Amino acid sequence: MEQASLRIEDLTIRFGGHAAVNMVTCAFRAGELTVVVGPNGAGKTTCFNLISGQLRPSGGRILKNGQDITALSASARAKAGIGRAFQLTNLFPKLSVLENVRLAVQAQHGIGPVIFRRARSFTRLRDEAYAHLEATRLQEAAKLPVTALTHGDQRKLEIALLLALKPDIFMFDEPTAGMSVDEAPVILELIEEIKKDAGKTILLVEHKMDVVRSLADRIVVLHNGELVADGKPDDVIALPLVREIYLGVPAEDAA
Amino acid sequence: ADDPVKIALVHGLSGSTFEAFSKQSHTGFRLGLEYATDGTMKINGRDIEIIEKDTQFKPDVARAVLAEAYGDDDVLIAVGGTSSGVTKGMLPIAEEYERILLVEPAVADSLTGPDSNRYVFKTSRNSSMDMQAQALALKPGPDLHVATLAEDYAFGKDGIAAFRKALEGSGATIVAEEYVPLKTTDFTAAAERMFAALRDKEGRKVILIYVAGGGDPMGKIKAMQPERYGIEISTGGHILPVLPTYKRVPGMEGAIYYYYENPSNPINDWLVEEHTKRYGSPPDFFTAGGMAAGLAVAKALQSTDDWDTENLIETMEGMSWDTPKGEMTFRPEDHQALQSMYHFKIRVDDDVDWAIPELVREIKADEMDIPVGRNNQE
Amino acid sequence: MTAPVLELEGVSTDIAQYHILHDISLSVPDGGVHVLLGRNGAGKTTTLRTIMGLWRARQGSIRFRGDEIATLHTSDIARKGIAFVPENMGIFGGLTVEENMRLATRDGRFEKQRLDRIYALFPALETFWTKSAWSLSGGQKQMLAIARAIIEPRDLILIDEPTKGLAPSIILNMVDAFREIAREATILLVEQNFLFAKSLGETVAVIDDGRIAHTGTMADLVADTELQTRLLSLSLEVSQ
Amino acid sequence: MEQLGSYFERYGGINLLPVILAVIAFVLIGSPSTWLTLTVAGLAMGMMIFLMASGLSLVFGLMDVLNFGHSAFISFGAFIAASVLAALAAWVAADSVLLNLTALFLAIAAAALFGLLAGWVFEKVIIKPVYRDHLRQILITMGALIVAEQIILAVWGGSPISVPRPHFLTGSLIIGDVSIELYRLFAFVLGLVAYVALYVVLNRTRVGLLVRAGVENREMVEALGFRIDRLFVGVFVLGSALAAVGGAMWAGYETLITAAIGSEMMIIVFIVIIIGGLGSIEGSLLGALLVGLMGNYVAFLAPKMALASNMILMMAILLWRPYGLRPAVK
Amino acid sequence: MIVYAIIGVIGICLLFAPMLFPDVRSQEVAARICIFIVLVASYDLLIGYTGIVSFAHTMFFGLGAYGTAIALRQMGPGWDAVLLGGALGLLASLILAALIGLLSLRVKAIFFAMVTLAAASVMAVMASQFSDFTGGEDGIIYKVPKLFSPATKLLTDDDGKVLRIFGAKANGKMAAYYFVFFGSLILYFIMLRIVASPLGTVLEAIRENEMRAEALGYRVVLYRTAIFCIAALIAACAGILRALWLKYTGPETSLSFAIMIDILLMVVIGGMGTMTGAIIGATLMSLAQFYLKDLMEIASQATAGIPLLPDLLAPDRWLLWLGILFILLVYFFPAGIVGTLSKRGGH
Ligand SMILES: Nc1ncnc2c1ncn2[C@@H]1O[C@H](COP(=O)(O)OP(=O)(O)OP(=O)(O)O)[C@@H](O)[C@H]1O
Ligand SMILES: Nc1ncnc2c1ncn2[C@@H]1O[C@H](COP(=O)(O)OP(=O)(O)OP(=O)(O)O)[C@@H](O)[C@H]1O
Ligand SMILES: [Mg+2]
Ligand SMILES: [Mg+2]
């Protein structure tokens, strides 16, 4: 069996007495797109937060390519190639769209601490940032401040930032939530595009079942912080437990 | 019809509650000139023009306005400032412009110390005078035990050092020196420490308080009834607004810079009368000080026709003149005006709003050994 | 048919410089449960908050039992008999369950009978009556929030996503409770969980991108799967 | 260690801190009479600080308003009380507890009344336009503070003003070697009364419930049908009146006051509410008592450290509990 | 646009201050404005650009000033003393800033503000207690290098008298002014460079959304500490200039909380997060502090006949009006002058 690009072992976090993520063990492989599903509050976002370092686990380990990264800070993990788009739009509101992306490009190139050169003189960075904006169809909005964008465009920018980081592990948290029907395909195509690169691992939280079906190589189901199912999409969707807790169809109805 | 001769009063007039003192000082200064010129406000036929400058209690502003006074307004003599720090910043400006700066009412000894210069004269008292007079008022002898209380910074420490020096050779002992942080409001702990140090001693036991700011340490320590251990409190006299708080210590003895009933001389009589007439209240520390400065300026200008700075310095060195506090003399070495202090004993009279620091005796300038700050003669 | 309890006509709401609601018109019939559906960020919460006066409508009119309330202060709107259960439940964690409930009463006194009914609906509240509200679990908090809305008789109860983050068994309980409550008050329910909404709602309005996209009866919507897919992005499998 | 912690929680938790402090001090000081003198003095000092701090804490907790102008109310309270006492000098000096008390009561009442009125104006004119914007609050209230100090200077002048103390409150109670200043005893009692009254209002009445609920979530309070803005004015006015009363008591303690009296207390007031946790009366009291006791003990044991002791205390507590001992808002 | 015009005017006035305003007070004001522009801009790097609220900025200002002052006093008026003292002041600032930053910049903003407040007050107490070096409350006076002494003739005419350039004496005073002016100019340009650099963008990103910046791979604590150190160093440089210009250093001129408040006011009046705001804020405030009083004197005399007004306009009550002015500014220019003007220009 090929080595997992990302592995979590017994991952646990408690808030007060409540375990939001409880002893979750799971491995993700390069070239595979895993959809994480589960009812609201199941712990999906929390799980992402643990992997990308926004939260410190109360227990368990996280391994990337076999290396333990549990102790690394969020910034170190970002540098190590774990990229993350947030569920709640999480940008730099007063900066322009281009600045937002350029910040990510700059971080990826590791040239933050340069003081005595004007930021504008780094044309290479700007070009690269533009490329990402084009990919997400945001080029026209480049000069606008983030606050002027529609919700859907902010979601796209969120993804442009993730692309700019060039991670090898992509985590999308409900990337199409709140997008209108004609906007969502752009994002889905982008994800398809990334999927073609066999070196990339993709984690996706998504509620829309048609999206799940069209993209997923594998589905993982969380419920009350615990991993309750893991497998091929069709198999998982067919499980009675999953139908009950996630799809909301009482078991007897589903039968 | 010569141009008027200009004199600048450079004090803090805004930005601190001490602004009231500056204003008293100004009143006194004008009264001084008025007295010396018999109300004409002319010296050698020239009008005197007074220019007021506000230091805002900031040294940088003070330096700017003093320089402005010398440089742009072309004043002959400047008088100021209110607080020691600000005044210290002003000293070099006098040297730079080679004009006379008459220090009043700032007290610190260092204003006539090594950092000062030969253009600086000082009519205000200094801390050494306060403390030496205070020591003399205690009538020190071998049976005297003192615990001192002061604030923990240069002013407090220098004051206690001067006091210690004044006691030297008298046989009296200092059993404890307590220093509290600036702006302390609760003196219970310090008092307990001093009680502990004094209570088992034989003879006279005194707590000497030397705290410049507010906080009323005297009242607070008195409220703890030190008399139960036979301990007395002693502290220097104070300005009139503070004297009501002395009503709690009838019979206390100490030394004071000025109380309007204490000196007896014609100038003081005139001052008290005029001030009461014009302002409805007797003059206070800063009025008397201001007047002394005004009289000094008048005397110097009247004594010579050549008002060149060098000549004025020569005139003023060693000059004696009369003030509401009796005769003062500019010591030639450091230009500090030597002057009398007053040994008082507190009397409480219910018809008077404040406690009366009744005169015990005048402590003459020559009884005190005020250290020479610098020698301008070298 | 009786007159509607609540009518929105041409309501537009801005939050800061953003236009969030555009020309919303909506009519809530008297009695029963009525559902406002829509995906994340569609403007459901904003609609409820606008009714409560927590956001101000830029234009349009909001009438409650015929009276214009769009310009009233939130507290006056509440005193007209509208209760609000917000998305985050609005529990006062530093207060006990009892104190939370007491604040919602008109004069600080409980009416025994109503209290008993509430205990019957949500037994957990009786158990935790004197406990601090922050120690309750999410589901219990939701119960408290709803109980607070019904401790006094109200005409209209606005409830924002009560099933969010709740376990299925609790949701089933909730369905019963809502049916019970709907006997004396009108409920305007905001939901994303279609199955829950389906089992309760009489009429439904779907909101999308700040506009009303559809109104009608729940029965019609349930019958029309194509409409569901279009409006709610629900896939066929989910609702079967 | 664990066990110690659980005992600590069981027997009162953070409420024990002043007691623990007192016990440690007892051991270090050695002399029981000195210890008692210091302890009583410290407690009384704490109560006076509490009076000044509680209003600020309430206003910050409930209204989320950082009022740097709070000290102006302290100063005004002090000066108004001083003026009233000066006007009633005959009663103040009389050897009759009744007359003394009447004068004192009138002085405190005048200060409180002023606090109420001025607080109302202040809220309407200064605070209202800057709700929810901390930086502007800090700045605008700082501007108001400058103006207020200037008004005091204009009205009362710059010279220090002496405050007559009612005759029956002068001197000390001497028990053995322990001396307890009567004025402090009175301040302690008044502070305690204020605390109990606040506690009862906040914990036993519906208004109190509303205030505490409003601290957490004001929108919900409105959605339940209450006018939070009126409640706000009420709280602000109350906070200002408390500050003025605190100022009046402080004036009597200091006996000599200047226009800077309020701003000189401000740092300590801030320390107290940060130690206590914002928005809670219990926290303010606890913080104030700790600061009062600590100040006196350290001043006796290590005078050099006296100045730093409060800062160190604050740091230590913030490291242990970043939101203070007992924050109302979590 | 208006903003740049104002900046241009201020710049020209400062550049030609010795010729345009030869009187002594104007010189002082001009030098003060130069120094405070640097100080305020460096504080704006923290509060405006990075969102760090610190109350210790005057501490660093004071370290620079005291370092230079003490060295000049102990070693005599030479450039070696300026260099050594200045360097020591800078070093001390750097070490302290790094310590405070690394230890406490990871905690909540209000806590950090309190830590800095504590540090600043401890520093003030130390300055007061080590009075042998610092002169305590009274401060110290000293001589500065000969070049800056008013007696020094920079240029002489044929008679050997000081040459006048448009009425201004080309003496040591002028040399000192231009030293301050160009020193400030260089520091200001350095800061302009910083905010326009990639680092500047990262700082803004941290201010806007710290967590996201971390998620992009920026080590927020390090960046914050770095900018805290940079701001501290620049403040210390401003302190050195101040010490050289004033020839007096004491708590009131370089360490007191009053200066901290001045800086805060200047930042806000000018507009946070704008380097130009520092110029306008520092200029306006300084002018008010030095001239409002004179203005009121005139107003008070002009209204002498009218009841009440002259009392209110009495020059000693100038602070009252400053306070009122300040309140009005916060009301009507919430984004500061630059912020408000440029927003208007934008629409
Ligand atoms: N910082 C926190 N403190 C306390 N509880 C938290 C915190 N973060 C998350 N939780 C709790 O952890 C649980 C899991 O939350 P999470 O956001 O991971 O859910 P989710 O599966 O992403 O849900 P959704 O589909 O709604 O996004 C929830 O009950 C939530 O309330
Ligand atoms: N305070 C705010 N500032 C700016 N935009 C806001 C604010 N609150 C809501 N919005 C925006 O308004 C739109 C509608 O939000 P609203 O909360 O009403 O949606 P919703 O339908 O309730 O969604 P959800 O199902 O996620 O609760 C969203 O795009 C949201 O981003
Ligand atoms: Mg989530
Ligand atoms: Mg919502």
Side-chain angles (χ1 to χ4, degrees), chain B residues 246-247 250 259 261 346-358:
Chain B
Y246 282 56
K247 282 197 166 184
Y259 176 71
E261 288 175 340
I346 292 293
R347 179 168 69 87
V348 175
D349 178 344
D350 284 338
D351 297 331
V352 180
D353 283 344
W354 53 80
I356 302 163
E358 214 169 35

Side-chain angles (χ1 to χ4, degrees), chain D residues 241-328:
Chain D
L242 278 172
V245 172
M249 287 311 291
W250 190 247
Y253 170 73
E254 282 289 84
T255 63
L256 202 64
I257 58 175
T258 67
I261 181 172
S263 18
E264 276 165 11
M265 289 311 289
M266 235 21 215
I267 290 261
I268 203 119
V269 163
F270 273 121
I271 291 180
V272 162
I273 66 171
I274 285 178
I275 288 181
L278 293 167
S280 96
I281 290 296
E282 292 94 330
S284 299
L285 181 69
L286 211 56
L289 292 183
L290 278 175
V291 164
L293 287 175
M294 189 76 159
N296 263 322
Y297 293 148
V298 175
F300 183 82
L301 291 168
K304 278 268 166 207
M305 298 289 294
L307 197 67
S309 68
N310 286 326
M311 285 287 177
I312 294 172
L313 182 70
M314 178 182 75
M315 300 271 203
I317 286 187
L318 279 181
L319 283 177
W320 178 41
R321 299 208 168 181
Y323 295 92
L325 290 176
R326 193 170 267 214

